[in-house]
Amino acid sequence: MYKAKVNVTLRPSILDPKGKAAHHALENLGLNQVEKVRIGKFIELDVNADSEDAAKAVVEQACAKLLANEVMEDFTIEIES
Amino acid sequence: MATFGVIVFPGSNCDHDAYHAMKHVLGCETKFLWHKDTDLSGIDFLIVPGGFSYGDYLRSGAIARFSPIMQEVVKFAEKGGPVMGICNGFQILLEAGLIPGAMMHNHQLRFVCKNVFIRCETTDSLFTGSLEKGQVFDIPVSHGEGNYFIDQDGLKSLQDNDQVLFRYSDAKGELTESANFNGSIDHIAGITNTGRNVLGMMPHPERAMEKILGSEDGKPIFESILNSLSVA
């Protein structure tokens, strides 16, 4: 069994209103050192596969078909055994 | 006379509005189609209604697009069958890849429920054939994720192919910044595919069918569709 950690983030070119709102709130908290906030999704999957590569291939399909919308989002995958 | 099919997903909430509009206001044969159905025989025009299919989990429309019926809807559309997605229906058609682009959260991050004005941008479609270019309609919107996005190349191709059917405008038909309340790229409120048989729009014409309910500006849009279907 492999554990996959997927991060889905908005593409850099796309405005992130949630990140902007959170950034604004952080400024109100006095945390002015924070220069930028981008909000994405973190997804964990347990994958039954024979090898790390096979697990990664499955998760890549899952991301491309469902978990991320590649029109506006990018994803990264980390596999842990 | 054309038979309309209204798809019902778990979480649809404008299915009855669409049914009422087609069946009771316009007097068309109309059927509900459950999302697990796979039989579209006898249906001439499909409406994918608004709502919160599957609770909008993951992204609006992302789960609904894998419903059994959606595989048939894609086949129906690919054969040239007319499909209209309203609000959540638009989001589902985007996720299904029947029309290009994606929806982001409204730029002010608020759910907006009010009447807005949309302008007809082209009469070259079965949905807008009997409207007038530049005609303005008073139609309700009700969404949190209606901020339409497409990359610059995609936008250019939409413009070059005359695929934008409706834009958000003011009452006079001017594309003012405040009229574009959700931040959609190029004021886009409704687009069609390159085959011109699929329409996705965020505003709800099916909720603007009777004067007593505030506006009947949705009626000419559906009447335009009926005209096109009776000629076809």
Side-chain angles (χ1 to χ4, degrees), chain B residues 17 65 72 126 133 173 192 218:
Chain B
D17 302 63
R65 75 74 113 228
E72 301 307 311
L126 75 101
K133 188 174 171 169
T192 188

Side-chain angles (χ1 to χ4, degrees), chain A residues 28-44:
Chain A
N28 290 344
L29 274 173
L31 295 173
N32 296 312
Q33 301 92 327
V34 179
E35 291 197 346
K36 193 178 178 188
V37 180
R38 304 279 290 172
I39 293 181
K41 289 185 195 113
F42 173 72
I43 304 163
E44 261 184 355

Side-chain angles (χ1 to χ4, degrees), chain B residues 16-28 47 84 86 115 138-140 204-224 226:
Chain B
H16 282 266
D17 302 63
Y19 185 89
H20 175 72
M22 301 321 298
K23 174 93 175 179
H24 302 132
V25 181
L26 294 173
C28 300
I47 297 178
M84 177 183 196
I86 303 166
N115 275 44
D138 175 6
I139 305 276
H204 287 274
E206 85 286 12
R207 288 195 196 171
M209 300 295 285
E210 292 151 291
K211 197 78 202 158
I212 195 170
L213 296 179
S215 166
E216 50 186 358
D217 279 8
K219 237 172 151 178
I221 297 173
F222 286 106
E223 283 165 351
S224 175
L226 287 178

Side-chain angles (χ1 to χ4, degrees), chain B:
Chain B
M1 191 151 187
T3 300
F4 286 75
V6 178
I7 299 177
V8 184
F9 296 99
S12 294
N13 66 8
C14 302
D15 42 349
H16 282 266
D17 302 63
Y19 185 89
H20 175 72
M22 301 321 298
K23 174 93 175 179
H24 302 132
V25 181
L26 294 173
C28 300
E29 185 66 40
T30 309
K31 288 178 183 160
F32 283 122
L33 300 163
W34 182 233
H35 72 117
K36 285 186 175 162
D37 291 346
T38 50
D39 182 12
L40 300 183
S41 54
I43 302 292
D44 302 300
F45 189 103
L46 275 173
I47 297 178
V48 189
F52 296 86
S53 57
Y54 298 90
D56 274 355
Y57 295 157
L58 198 61
R59 294 180 306 276
S60 307
I63 312 280
R65 75 74 113 228
F66 290 105
S67 277
I69 201 164
M70 280 309 296
Q71 318 315 312
E72 301 307 311
V73 172
V74 170
K75 283 184 212 158
F76 180 84
E78 281 171 353
K79 278 187 282 185
V83 180
M84 177 183 196
I86 303 166
C87 197
N88 190 224
F90 186 3
Q91 294 162 338
I92 295 168
L93 297 181
L94 289 170
E95 285 284 342
L98 285 174
I99 33 181
M103 284 297 171
M104 302 196 299
H105 280 273
N106 294 348
H107 71 121
Q108 78 284 51
L109 287 176
R110 275 198 300 272
F111 191 98
V112 179
C113 185
K114 64 174 185 182
N115 275 44
V116 301
F117 295 100
I118 57 171
R119 189 177 80 180
C120 171
E121 299 295 310
T122 176
T123 55
D124 180 18
S125 81
L126 75 101
F127 310 98
T128 55
S130 308
L131 307 178
E132 277 171 43
K133 188 174 171 169
Q135 198 175 347
V136 176
F137 302 90
D138 175 6
I139 305 276
V141 289
S142 175
H143 61 249
E145 291 178 48
N147 180 354
Y148 179 75
F149 172 79
I150 191 163
D151 61 26
Q152 284 304 316
D153 291 347
L155 179 62
K156 187 166 185 311
S157 124
L158 285 182
Q159 292 163 341
D160 291 350
N161 296 321
D162 200 19
Q163 283 172 258
V164 181
L165 302 193
F166 297 103
R167 283 196 172 91
Y168 298 113
S169 74
D170 67 9
K172 290 183 198 134
E174 302 291 332
L175 300 183
T176 57
E177 207 179 314
S178 60
N180 194 21
F181 65 95
N182 61 14
S184 289
I185 197 163
D186 199 24
H187 287 242
I188 285 173
I191 53 167
T192 188
N193 59 339
T194 47
R196 308 191 86 74
N197 61 313
V198 180
L199 161 65
M201 66 190 295
M202 287 315 288
H204 287 274
E206 85 286 12
R207 288 195 196 171
M209 300 295 285
E210 292 151 291
K211 197 78 202 158
I212 195 170
L213 296 179
S215 166
E216 50 186 358
D217 279 8
K219 237 172 151 178
I221 297 173
F222 286 106
E223 283 165 351
S224 175
I225 291 168
L226 287 178
N227 285 343
S228 304
L229 293 176
S230 66
V231 176

Side-chain angles (χ1 to χ4, degrees), chain A:
Chain A
M1 187 75 79
Y2 293 89
K3 204 169 252 320
K5 295 182 169 176
V6 173
N7 277 300
V8 180
T9 48
L10 281 174
R11 294 223 157 135
S13 60
I14 290 181
L15 217 81
D16 175 11
K18 280 189 203 168
K20 250 173 108 177
H23 186 205
H24 190 64
L26 290 173
E27 282 175 342
N28 290 344
L29 274 173
L31 295 173
N32 296 312
Q33 301 92 327
V34 179
E35 291 197 346
K36 193 178 178 188
V37 180
R38 304 279 290 172
I39 293 181
K41 289 185 195 113
F42 173 72
I43 304 163
E44 261 184 355
L45 298 90
D46 290 343
V47 185
N48 197 351
D50 294 333
S51 67
E52 200 172 316
D53 284 349
K56 191 165 185 194
V58 169
V59 178
E60 264 170 9
Q61 260 195 45
C63 287
K65 287 194 174 158
L66 176 66
L67 300 177
N69 181 339
E70 293 188 273
V71 176
M72 54 180 183
E73 293 170 328
D74 291 323
F75 59 85
T76 56
I77 299 169
E78 247 180 84
I79 305 276
E80 289 171 9
S81 49

